[in-house]
Amino acid sequence: IFFIVIIFCWKTTGLELNKIQLSFWGAGDTRFGWVWNSILVILSLSILANNIVIIKRHIRLKKKYIPYVMFSTVSICLMMVGIFNLDYGVLHDLPAWSYFFMYPLSIFFMAYLNRKFLLYKEWFTHLMFSIIMILVPTTFMTMFEGLAIPEILHSIIVSIWNLYTAFKRFDVS
């Protein structure tokens, strides 16, 4: 749904992805801003649910408290981005930046804290996702005036990690 809404907003606004932030689609003066912001809130709830379930059910995750707190904070930040559009300034910007940087940090801490308990392949996969999730979008920030391309890349990596963990939770033996 998230990527369908990205395409919809891109086509209806005509804004150039290499010159804007995705948050402009949710601004108060845009025609379909409520759609964009609603999708962010729904996405934050689905990310929260997925992360809580994977942490709760994963038998090799022994240190769960910090990952619970970090992933919950990340989801709350994304929800705040959807609730407070660009018109709210710091109430939008601070959660947006926190979400962007805390998501890979949350994955990293989950893997690091449980490195003794996770299988090497699983630990390495989480570690690589966290590194890729921060390095790829950050690298593209210098290539474009706006942030839409790095934000889309970050969203794609977040989606892939969430799909990986969603399907992985059925096989955590």
Side-chain angles (χ1 to χ4, degrees), residues 86-173:
L86 278 175
D87 301 335
Y88 290 91
V90 73
L91 285 176
H92 173 85
D93 294 340
L94 186 61
W97 280 99
S98 297
Y99 167 77
F100 185 81
F101 289 108
M102 277 188 64
Y103 208 121
L105 188 62
S106 299
I107 297 169
F108 176 81
F109 272 123
M110 182 187 72
Y112 177 77
L113 292 172
N114 291 285
R115 68 191 178 282
K116 294 178 183 175
F117 313 111
L118 293 172
L119 298 175
Y120 177 78
K121 180 181 175 186
E122 190 174 16
W123 169 82
F124 187 75
T125 302
H126 292 309
L127 184 68
M128 292 312 306
F129 265 113
S130 68
I131 292 169
I132 290 168
M133 193 181 293
I134 197 67
L135 287 183
V136 171
T138 305
T139 302
F140 279 86
M141 278 184 191
T142 60
M143 296 181 195
F144 300 99
E145 295 175 28
L147 296 173
I149 301 297
E151 288 173 345
I152 290 171
L153 290 171
H154 185 267
S155 299
I156 289 169
I157 298 165
V158 165
S159 298
I160 292 169
W161 187 78
N162 274 282
L163 287 171
Y164 168 77
T165 58
F167 289 108
K168 182 69 177 165
R169 74 173 171 230
F170 297 114
D171 179 32
V172 291
S173 56

Side-chain angles (χ1 to χ4, degrees), residues 8 12-13 24-25 27-35:
F8 172 76
T12 58
T13 61
F24 281 112
W25 290 339
D29 59 346
T30 58
R31 184 173 170 201
F32 295 106
W34 65 272
V35 173

Side-chain angles (χ1 to χ4, degrees), residues 45-55 161-162 165-166 169:
L45 293 172
S46 68
I47 286 172
L48 178 65
N50 183 53
N51 291 326
I52 286 176
V53 169
I54 190 66
I55 292 169
W161 187 78
N162 274 282
T165 58
R169 74 173 171 230

Side-chain angles (χ1 to χ4, degrees), residues 11-34:
K11 295 296 182 184
T12 58
T13 61
L15 296 173
E16 296 180 51
L17 289 178
N18 61 340
K19 296 184 179 177
I20 64 156
Q21 295 176 345
L22 291 182
S23 296
F24 281 112
W25 290 339
D29 59 346
T30 58
R31 184 173 170 201
F32 295 106
W34 65 272

